[in-house]
Amino acid sequence: MQRKTSQRDAIQEVFIQENRPLGIEDILTYGRAIVATLNQATVYRTLKVLMENGWLTQINHPSLGTLYERTGKEHHHHFYCHVCKRVYELPGCPLAKGDIAPKGFIVEHHEVFLSGTCPSCC
Ligand SMILES: [Zn+2]
Ligand SMILES: [Zn+2]
């Protein structure tokens, strides 16, 4: 019981520390630095529980697949740095104002994924 709690704590700790969307491999790597015995099955089970609790949400990234991030953030977009392989959250949305579709189309939703080189890798 004690052990189960600490694995879940470790996963939450990883998200709080990194404060960016993470894939399963990242979660395993960073999580094992906290709890060495962390295994993939436990991580998947814990992610499911954290999503049911509304603590985490899932992103379907077009090139990276499934990523997980904390809920409760304002609408934002993601930037993937292909050098350090990190996904950053970009605050705000440049598409929020202005006409992005021709007249007659009512835009209710959009998904934009940016990629390139981040400031640390330039
Ligand atoms: Zn980078
Ligand atoms: Zn947006």
Side-chain angles (χ1 to χ4, degrees), residues 16-86:
I16 293 164
Q17 273 175 10
E18 292 300 313
N19 193 32
R20 61 189 176 87
L22 299 169
I24 188 79
E25 288 302 320
D26 295 323
I27 298 164
L28 271 172
T29 306
Y30 294 116
R32 278 178 182 150
I34 305 168
V35 174
T37 54
L38 200 65
N39 65 71
Q40 191 162 317
T42 308
V43 172
Y44 274 119
R45 207 162 47 232
T46 306
L47 292 173
K48 193 166 171 274
V49 171
L50 291 173
M51 283 194 288
E52 284 165 1
N53 292 348
W55 199 82
L56 278 182
T57 185
Q58 203 169 303
I59 306 162
N60 297 309
H61 194 281
S63 49
L64 303 171
T66 303
L67 300 176
Y68 301 87
E69 80 175 344
R70 293 288 314 273
T71 52
K73 300 195 172 173
E74 302 255 313
H75 173 82
H76 62 275
H77 293 284
H78 298 108
F79 183 100
Y80 172 58
C81 173
H82 55 72
V83 181
C84 65
K85 314 286 185 206
R86 280 182 154 74

Side-chain angles (χ1 to χ4, degrees), residues 81 84 88 118 121:
C81 173
C84 65
Y88 292 86
C118 80
C121 295

Side-chain angles (χ1 to χ4, degrees), residues 75-77 92-96 100 107-113:
H75 173 82
H76 62 275
H77 293 284
C93 177
L95 303 176
I100 56 172
V107 179
E108 291 167 347
H109 179 76
H110 65 256
E111 279 185 49
V112 179
F113 293 92

